[in-house]
Amino acid sequence: MSKSIRLRTLLLKFLIIFPAQLCNADELPAGFVYVDQAIPGIQIEPKYHSDHNFVGKPIDGYQKPVAILTKEAAKALSEVQKELKPFGLGLKIFDAYRPQQAVDHFVRWAEDLDDVRMKQEFYPDESKKDLFKKGYIAANSSHSRGSTVDVTIVSLYPEIGVELDMGSAFDFFGSMSWPHSNEVDASQRAHRMLLR
């Protein structure tokens, strides 16, 4: 978990890779759900459907601003959502199922060493040529199974959706984003422990 704080849920026994059109389909394959329909009150901010991500533009394969997961993964997240609610907290998902088309886009971007327009925000202290070696970018992703999510914790009131301060932004490539980083303060470490 080097790019962001991640909640890893149940993994499927078999690798399931969907066609890129999955995120554009209204009906999902058996065993998969739209997260916002399966988990009441969960917030979704699909970073790769927008241009505010480390590539700087929408990522291939993200046809709609949705989050898709296996039923098992959604059930696990639903339990977490229920545990957080009495404390005025909930979950926000940045990424869930990731089509292989998107993974391939990340790889092409990482191999283009001249494209550094998002460096200052997302990897200011890392050399782009080292992103593969350090594990920030990979040719295969557990997200493509539909059982991994990028998630954070948000407030439900008084203002809905304010993220707890985890000390680094989503998809920040650097040691500050590592789960046990000493580069963040005590309250940020506490928020990370709560998320874990």
Side-chain angles (χ1 to χ4, degrees), residues 128-139:
K128 191 172 181 184
K129 68 179 178 55
D130 295 330
L131 296 181
F132 280 111
K133 180 172 59 176
K134 293 189 174 185
Y136 295 114
I137 303 289

Side-chain angles (χ1 to χ4, degrees), residues 9-26:
T9 56
L10 302 173
L11 294 175
L12 295 175
K13 291 181 180 178
F14 301 100
L15 178 64
I16 299 175
I17 304 293
F18 296 117
Q21 294 79 13
L22 175 68
C23 291
N24 201 26
D26 290 327

Side-chain angles (χ1 to χ4, degrees), residues 8-9 14 18-19 26 30 39 41 43 45 52 56 63 66 68 71 78 87 102 135 156 173 178 188 192:
R8 300 250 180 216
T9 56
F14 301 100
F18 296 117
D26 290 327
I39 306 174
Q43 296 183 34
E45 184 181 340
H52 188 226
Q63 306 293 328
V66 298
I68 298 167
K71 287 182 180 177
S78 181
F87 301 99
L156 299 180
F173 299 166
W178 299 352
Q188 293 162 340
R192 291 180 180 198

